[in-house]
Structure formats: structure tokens, C-alpha cells
Amino acid sequence: MPSSLVVGLTGGIASGKSLVSSAFERLGVTVIDADVVARDVVEPGQPALEEIVERFGAEIVDEQGRLRRRALREIVFADDAQRAELERITHPRIREELARRRDAAQSDYCLLVVPLLAKSSMIDLVDRVLVVDAPEGVQMDRLMSRDDINEDLARRMIAAQDSRAQRLALADDVLINTGPRKDIADLAAALHAGYLRLAHGEVADLPPLHLPG
């Protein structure tokens, strides 16, 4: 039986979405990550990759025919028109595959991890929104360290996403990820208990949860 509740998990880049989604996965929740789907739809042989090569040139793939992600990232985050063109190619395919995997999920509820939940117009795929939040300065530090990039590129990557205000305006629940990593499991468990009650029909709705990390 497909999941009766779909929770959309979103947050800025380097806010800790993967850390939080992994905590839910350990609780037995099906997690469907748009970033994973985005990689799958541009694998060699996929129509999206062929369109990307046609649009951005053959140098955008390596000797094995795989996408040079870092090279493409530097192009699209330097030019809004180029980024819009990439999104035109990939977003419909990502949306279609997210919906397919969502409909196949068998856990009590499932989690769709979608960084651009507002800008990508995918909010209609979910029933409830959980925002993983972190101040921009924390995002910057994590992003530069994680991806080994300079401050300018990090700022452009953050600016290309939904703004913090946009994300929080969508939120039913907020998990603030600024504390120790070990706290995330407890925070996820608290949310999980509420989502199970909602998925099982024990309550018609839940009050918004705001969990400091």
C-alpha cells in the first residue's frame, strides 16, 4: 500500500538535509532524494544528458561520457540564463521520477528531499513541509569546507536557491541544525512520532513543530 503521507524536506544548501534524512531513514522511513534523482536522470544514455551536451557542448562530459558536474556547476552558477536552461532540461524529468518513486513508497509515510521546493514548483508533490534551517554564515562555512570552493561561488550557489524567508514561509515544521550532530536523531524521532500519528489517521493535523538544534 503506498504511503498515506508525504513529507517534503527542504533547506538551504549545506543546511544538513542529508544528515536529517538519514536519521529518518534509520527509523524505517522511505527517503526519496531529489539530488539522487537529479544524478540518475543525467547518467550516460539518458535523454537529459544528451540535451545537456547539445546545449553546453561536448566538453561538459568526460572520457567515459559522464557529466563533469563541477564544470557545469561553474557555468550555470555564473549565468542565470544558463542555469534556467539547465533547469528546463532536468526539472520535468526529476519531477516525473520523484512522483514515480513517491507512489511506489511502502512505508507509513515517505520523505521527499527537495532543495528547491518553492522555485521548482514541486510543492504539490507533498502534504507537509519540514524545513532544515541554518543561518547563512553556517551554510557558507559548511559549503566552502565540504565542496572545497571559494566564497564567491558559495555565495552564488546559496543565492540561486529559495531564500531562507521563502523556505520558512512554506514550513509546517522547522528543525534548526546548528547543534551537535548527535542531537539530530532525537529531533528526527520527535518529528517521526507526530508524522506516524498523522499517517495513521490518529489526528487530523499536527501543530507546527519548531525544534532547536
Side-chain angles (χ1 to χ4, degrees):
M1 182 176 176
S3 300
S4 59
L5 173 70
V6 182
V7 178
L9 187 155
T10 192
I13 193 167
S15 61
K17 296 183 298 298
S18 295
L19 184 66
V20 174
S21 65
S22 293
F24 278 95
E25 206 160 25
R26 287 193 293 273
L27 293 167
V29 179
T30 299
V31 173
I32 305 159
D33 193 326
D35 284 344
V36 173
V37 172
R39 289 193 290 272
D40 291 345
V41 302
V42 295
E43 282 291 296
Q46 292 294 321
L49 182 59
E50 295 174 10
E51 281 196 51
I52 290 170
V53 171
E54 184 178 338
R55 176 64 182 80
F56 294 96
E59 65 276 6
I60 211 68
V61 294
D62 62 20
E63 294 79 4
Q64 286 74 46
R66 293 190 172 277
L67 188 64
R68 296 183 189 272
R69 299 180 186 280
R70 184 160 189 151
L72 183 60
R73 183 173 62 188
E74 289 174 356
I75 292 170
V76 300
F77 285 110
D79 186 325
D80 290 346
Q82 299 273 48
R83 187 171 70 253
E85 186 64 15
L86 177 64
E87 291 171 355
R88 180 194 66 77
I89 295 168
T90 59
H91 279 189
R93 293 177 169 97
I94 294 168
R95 178 189 171 88
E96 181 180 1
E97 182 61 16
L98 281 173
R100 188 192 69 76
R101 297 186 190 189
R102 174 201 64 182
D103 294 344
Q106 297 295 310
S107 54
D108 293 305
Y109 70 93
C110 68
L111 204 68
L112 254 61
V113 185
V114 185
L116 299 178
L117 195 55
K119 282 187 177 179
S120 62
S121 302
M122 294 188 192
I123 194 164
D124 63 310
L125 296 177
V126 308
D127 303 309
R128 189 176 181 91
V129 177
L130 167 61
V131 171
V132 180
D133 187 44
E136 187 172 306
V138 173
Q139 286 180 260
M140 287 282 296
D141 290 343
R142 289 175 179 167
L143 183 55
M144 288 188 292
S145 174
R146 185 192 75 185
D147 290 7
D148 189 26
I149 59 175
N150 62 34
E151 182 176 340
D152 179 62
L153 179 55
R155 287 194 185 281
R156 283 188 273 123
M157 291 173 70
I158 290 172
Q161 296 202 311
D162 299 336
S163 71
R164 191 180 183 195
Q166 283 176 312
R167 289 190 296 271
L168 292 174
L170 293 175
D172 295 293
D173 308 307
V174 179
L175 191 161
I176 302 172
N177 180 26
T178 54
R181 292 170 67 96
K182 63 181 176 59
D183 291 347
I184 294 298
D186 291 338
L187 298 175
L191 289 161
H192 178 63
Y195 294 157
L196 282 176
R197 294 180 67 211
L198 194 57
H200 292 163
E202 296 172 12
V203 291
D205 199 3
L206 294 172
L209 295 173
H210 192 279
L211 300 176

